[in-house]
Amino acid sequence: MSLAFIDPMIIRSLNKSKLRKKILYLLYKMYPHGIYLSEISRRVKSDPSNVLGCLKGMNGRYNGHFSLIELGLVECVEKGGIKIYKLTDYGKKIVEILKDQDSDFIDSLRW
């Protein structure tokens, strides 16, 4: 897969939001395991409602069409009534393509 085959909606979504990128790269680091919303929020240093907006979309502020789940990059798995967010196989492939181009951005992240 090369950059030419990445859905332009994915590129647009990630370029419009540093938080979406941070979440995606965090989940890549955790792959194949998932993580709770509150833990994602703590690690990316953002409010849980903003993180949820990036993951699922939220009225007006975060367009659901550009959410990480809607784009197929992240999935939500419910275990014992608790929601765990994890990178999909497709999301992993996308990050592996983009991470070389985003090396400066990745280097700036401190988990």
Side-chain angles (χ1 to χ4, degrees):
M1 184 185 270
S2 71
L3 210 75
F5 295 106
I6 296 177
D7 183 342
M9 295 285 281
I10 292 172
I11 301 295
R12 183 172 189 263
S13 174
L14 296 176
N15 285 339
K16 286 185 66 119
S17 170
K18 285 184 182 179
L19 184 55
R20 281 189 196 111
K21 266 189 189 180
K22 282 183 176 182
I23 294 167
L24 193 66
Y25 285 120
L26 171 64
L27 293 175
Y28 177 76
K29 183 178 176 188
M30 304 298 296
Y31 186 86
H33 305 288
I35 188 170
Y36 303 104
L37 175 66
S38 59
E39 184 64 15
I40 295 171
S41 176
R42 187 182 68 76
R43 290 191 185 200
V44 299
K45 296 176 175 59
S46 184
D47 187 81
S49 64
N50 289 331
V51 171
L52 192 58
C54 289
L55 289 167
K56 295 173 66 172
M58 187 182 295
N59 300 335
R61 184 159 183 201
Y62 290 98
N63 186 328
H65 297 296
F66 294 113
S67 73
L68 296 173
I69 290 175
E70 185 72 26
L71 293 169
L73 304 175
V74 174
E75 65 182 333
C76 178
V77 178
E78 195 164 329
K79 292 185 179 179
I82 298 171
K83 293 180 180 178
I84 307 272
Y85 296 91
K86 61 188 254 181
L87 200 63
T88 62
D89 292 336
Y90 178 62
K92 181 178 183 274
K93 289 176 187 173
I94 295 298
V95 172
E96 288 172 347
I97 292 168
L98 296 177
K99 70 180 180 176
D100 292 333
Q101 297 177 359
D102 273 348
S103 60
D104 291 338
F105 179 77
I106 294 170
D107 290 342
S108 73
L109 300 175
R110 302 285 179 242
W111 308 117

